[in-house]
Amino acid sequence: MTFDSHLTFIQANAIHFPERLVFKVPQLDHEDDDMSSHQKIHGWTDVTYQKFYQDIVWSSGYWLRTLQCPPGSVVGLWFVQLSWKNHFFKQKINLISRMLGMVYRDVVHFFGLMNAGFVPQILTLKIRSAELAIEYFKRSDISYIIYAPTAPVDQLRNHFQIHEIIDIKPSDIADVHVLSPKEKNGDDTVLIFHSSGSTSGKPKLIPYTHNWIHGHAQKPLPGLPDGKEIGVAINGIVHASQFCISLQQFRNGTCIVLIPWLDLTGAELCQIITECKANVLYQLTPILTKTLREAMKNSELRAVLKSLNFIACCGSVFGESERLWSMELGIPIKNWYGMTEMGITMVSAGHDPIILHPINVPGLVYEFKHRDTEGEVESTEPKRKLVEAIISSSSIDRPYPTLCDPIDGHFHTRDLFEEVGPNGYIYRERLDDIIKMSRGQKCSAFNSANKQFVFRFIESQILLSCESLVAACVVVGSGKPSPVLVLEPLEEPTDIASLKEKIGKKAELINKDGFPHERIRPSDILIVPSGTIPRTPKGNINRSSAERLYKQEIDAFFDE
């Protein structure tokens, strides 16, 4: 059987449309993997599908000659520095890391290894110590680790065979033969990503097989066909989100604009879209939220966003004010739902980006089953039917078997949705994102006035009303009589008591109609250092991890 994949689409474009552009690569002051500040983008290097495919073939030949292990072996890829701070909202960036796949060299070697039959195991930014990285790699039978100069070489060498990444050498291409195709088994692993580790505390391995990639390739994601799209990348090309998106983009012959870093300023975004003549923007939702907030005050950015065919986002929940503002202004946003295990499964189709519709093509089998999460909740709101999104064991995009339920064989997302109209769903919460108070109240009660769950509403309003004081915040307090607001101040406070008083008054006004077990007072605020609230790689605040991290401080609030 022939399996659709990134490589088959890249090769087809290289043969039939050799001069069609596949990438626009930013020209920077210097091509480091890590930088202490944003560099100026001086221009763009165009890469055609033919050139990209030739570079992939050269890379395949290089690694086949160099690595002393057979095709089918797992090869770890670690291209980033250990220490980093990635603050998506208001904090000052202390170190900006070039994520794996944001440098053209990395993209070529990633696909080159796969083309040669090796199995890349990706390590992204969020693992921040050599010990954790080594533990992660040891879960697979790693033959080699390919690293960037910033990796801790001495520690790696004690555990693995290692090889430094190399630059592309076009002069050597003529010396490399095109690999002859070999028979593929659909269940064979092609590459390995990893989860955020938010549930177990450790990232789990997420293998992608030939069957899974072929299945995902059948999904008609929104996009412009026949090479008409010039799309700004959502992330590094080999990040799971961009990997899934680029499968559709390579099929369509899209030109992908590589971004030099995630936290693009409004000015940088305007420069990129204007100079590259981009007509589609892809951004993770937390970053798009920041972009929309800046566009509210920046007429040039606002006009640039309105000029796009559409903006696609995924990875988090839309803020209500940003959503309503963008809809009123006519900024075309398409919201996608998915996760690393299963890829993209739902997309918005109408005017309102929060209403998602399951992708419907032959072979995709999704189920939505009722889950009772209300319990003994003190609420005046009517009970709503929340359903969990489930990928059936018979679906062509069913995740790897070890990630699925051992009893029914399905993949349970643990994400809960409210059904709205025929085949429409609005994301509401996760099963493990409910704060159960000490008396059994479950504080996920939906508030019809603000269209958000109580604690999410408090968090978003605190960020808006205290934007000159608060950089990030999260509400916690599982098992406690009342919630605690954990926040990172925008600047180091000189008077913590005064800061708590100011923010506490805002919180009381925001939730003045809430039940007693939902209200936050100045005494219920915990100030923590900038950048310490746990985040996922997408930039989302991780509530359950924050509960664990600050348990001792939270307990102290209620000991008296």
Side-chain angles (χ1 to χ4, degrees):
M1 175 180 175
T2 301
F3 298 96
D4 288 337
S5 70
H6 298 73
L7 291 169
T8 60
F9 295 146
I10 293 167
Q11 184 182 43
N13 276 288
I15 293 171
H16 300 293
F17 307 100
E19 298 306 311
R20 181 178 281 175
L21 296 186
V22 61
F23 293 123
K24 282 186 170 290
V25 182
Q27 297 174 0
L28 306 173
D29 293 326
H30 50 87
E31 281 292 336
D32 288 347
D33 291 280
D34 300 275
M35 295 165 289
S36 58
S37 62
H38 283 211
Q39 297 182 43
K40 181 178 176 59
I41 301 174
H42 296 291
W44 302 87
T45 299
D46 292 343
V47 180
T48 65
Y49 273 91
Q50 183 182 59
K51 166 77 164 107
F52 183 36
Y53 183 65
Q54 287 176 337
D55 288 347
I56 288 173
V57 171
W58 172 84
S59 173
S60 298
Y62 176 84
W63 294 117
L64 282 171
R65 294 192 302 266
T66 303
L67 300 183
Q68 298 174 3
C69 57
S73 301
V74 180
V75 177
L77 297 181
W78 193 13
F79 293 164
V80 295
Q81 192 169 5
L82 289 173
S83 60
W84 67 286
K85 288 189 178 180
N86 193 353
H87 306 156
F88 284 99
F89 292 97
K90 302 181 180 69
Q91 300 95 323
K92 180 181 178 181
I93 297 294
N94 295 318
L95 182 70
I96 302 161
S97 293
R98 301 291 301 282
M99 289 184 69
L100 174 62
M102 288 185 174
V103 180
Y104 177 68
R105 169 205 68 190
D106 301 350
V107 180
V108 168
H109 287 305
F110 172 71
F111 285 110
L113 285 162
M114 282 197 293
N115 190 52
F118 295 110
V119 178
Q121 180 172 331
I122 314 302
L123 178 58
T124 56
L125 263 179
K126 63 186 190 57
I127 296 181
R128 308 179 193 183
S129 74
E131 292 74 18
L132 286 175
I134 290 166
E135 179 188 350
Y136 165 71
F137 280 128
K138 281 187 173 181
R139 292 184 209 166
S140 300
D141 187 16
I142 291 281
S143 296
Y144 267 88
I145 289 181
I146 298 173
Y147 64 92
T150 50
V153 178
D154 291 338
Q155 291 169 280
L156 291 177
R157 187 179 287 115
N158 293 332
H159 300 272
F160 309 100
Q161 295 186 81
I162 61 175
H163 195 291
E164 186 173 348
I165 194 72
I166 63 166
D167 290 330
I168 310 301
K169 300 176 181 177
S171 60
D172 293 348
I173 289 176
D175 186 43
V176 179
H177 63 279
V178 177
L179 299 175
S180 58
K182 66 174 185 177
E183 192 68 26
K184 295 183 175 70
N185 184 320
D187 293 328
D188 285 347
T189 298
V190 180
L191 75 155
I192 302 171
F193 283 116
H194 59 75
S195 70
S196 64
S198 59
T199 302
S200 64
K202 293 182 179 180
K204 61 177 177 284
L205 303 180
I206 301 178
Y208 285 0
T209 64
H210 290 291
N211 279 332
W212 189 92
I213 294 175
H214 178 82
H216 204 280
Q218 311 315 309
K219 299 179 183 182
L221 302 178
L224 306 181
D226 304 324
K228 296 176 182 177
E229 178 180 318
I230 303 176
V232 180
I234 196 170
N235 210 322
I237 288 292
V238 297
H239 185 277
S241 57
Q242 183 61 48
F243 182 82
C244 293
I245 294 168
S246 63
L247 187 57
Q248 175 85 7
Q249 290 177 315
F250 291 148
R251 177 195 284 274
N252 291 339
T254 294
C255 174
I256 302 171
V257 181
L258 297 184
I259 55 176
W261 36 75
L262 277 180
D263 61 313
L264 296 166
T265 66
E268 289 168 341
L269 200 53
C270 287
Q271 178 189 0
I272 290 170
I273 293 172
T274 302
E275 291 182 355
C276 296
K277 297 181 172 56
N279 48 22
V280 177
L281 170 66
Y282 298 87
Q283 283 197 322
L284 296 170
T285 305
I287 298 176
L288 178 59
T289 298
K290 173 196 165 198
T291 299
L292 292 175
R293 287 176 183 169
E294 186 170 351
M296 291 177 182
K297 306 172 185 177
N298 183 331
S299 59
E300 180 186 2
L301 177 59
R302 192 160 58 243
V304 166
L305 296 181
K306 288 185 67 175
S307 72
L308 298 167
N309 283 59
F310 65 88
I311 300 170
C313 65
C314 63
S316 185
V317 180
F318 253 111
E320 187 69 5
S321 58
E322 291 81 18
R323 165 178 161 261
L324 294 176
W325 180 81
S326 62
M327 289 171 60
E328 181 181 353
L329 208 64
I331 295 177
I333 296 177
K334 296 183 183 294
N335 188 21
W336 298 357
Y337 165 75
M339 58 181 65
T340 305
E341 291 90 335
M342 64 189 186
I344 299 164
T345 58
M346 291 195 278
V347 299
S348 65
H351 181 57
D352 192 339
I354 70 168
I355 301 177
L356 298 162
H357 302 275
I359 298 172
N360 184 20
V361 295
L364 295 179
V365 185
Y366 302 149
E367 301 176 11
F368 294 87
K369 292 190 175 180
H370 174 62
R371 295 294 296 262
D372 182 14
T373 63
E374 299 296 334
E376 297 297 325
V377 179
E378 185 179 356
S379 175
T380 59
E381 297 291 334
K383 278 194 174 185
R384 297 161 300 109
K385 181 181 178 181
L386 292 184
V387 293
E388 180 190 11
I390 297 171
I391 312 300
S392 170
S393 59
S394 62
S395 186
I396 58 175
D397 63 344
R398 176 210 184 203
Y400 200 75
T402 57
L403 304 172
C404 298
D405 188 282
I407 298 175
D408 61 24
H410 304 324
F411 178 73
H412 294 256
T413 65
R414 300 184 64 80
D415 284 336
L416 302 180
F417 296 81
E418 182 179 7
E419 191 167 2
V420 287
N423 215 33
Y425 298 89
I426 296 178
Y427 175 82
R428 290 307 185 197
E429 64 186 58
R430 280 189 63 78
L431 280 169
D432 48 11
D433 193 34
I434 298 169
I435 302 179
K436 188 171 183 179
M437 312 310 290
S438 60
R439 295 183 180 180
Q441 308 103 324
K442 294 181 180 179
C443 290
S444 62
F446 189 63
N447 186 318
S448 60
N450 56 58
K451 304 296 183 185
Q452 294 191 60
F453 287 91
V454 172
F455 289 166
R456 291 208 187 115
F457 177 68
I458 293 173
E459 291 162 356
S460 63
Q461 291 303 303
I462 286 290
L463 288 172
L464 286 173
S465 62
C466 304
E467 63 177 354
S468 63
L469 301 172
V470 179
C473 65
V474 61
V475 176
V476 296
S478 181
K480 304 302 180 186
S482 61
V484 173
L485 177 66
V486 180
L487 64 85
E488 299 174 4
L490 190 62
E491 297 178 355
E492 192 69 28
T494 55
D495 188 340
I496 291 180
S498 175
L499 179 63
K500 285 186 176 183
E501 189 67 28
K502 290 178 183 177
I503 296 170
K505 287 180 179 179
K506 293 283 188 182
E508 288 176 344
L509 286 174
I510 289 167
N511 203 26
K512 63 181 185 299
D513 298 325
F515 293 103
H517 66 271
E518 298 170 347
R519 294 175 189 161
I520 294 174
R521 300 171 294 275
S523 59
D524 299 326
I525 297 174
L526 173 64
I527 309 293
V528 299
S530 177
T532 59
I533 295 179
R535 291 165 172 79
T536 70
K538 299 174 184 177
N540 301 324
I541 297 293
N542 191 320
R543 192 188 310 280
S544 59
S545 293
E547 287 268 13
R548 292 192 297 268
L549 180 62
Y550 303 115
K551 183 180 184 304
Q552 186 174 349
E553 292 89 339
I554 295 168
D555 288 346
F557 276 49
F558 303 96
D559 283 345
E560 298 179 357

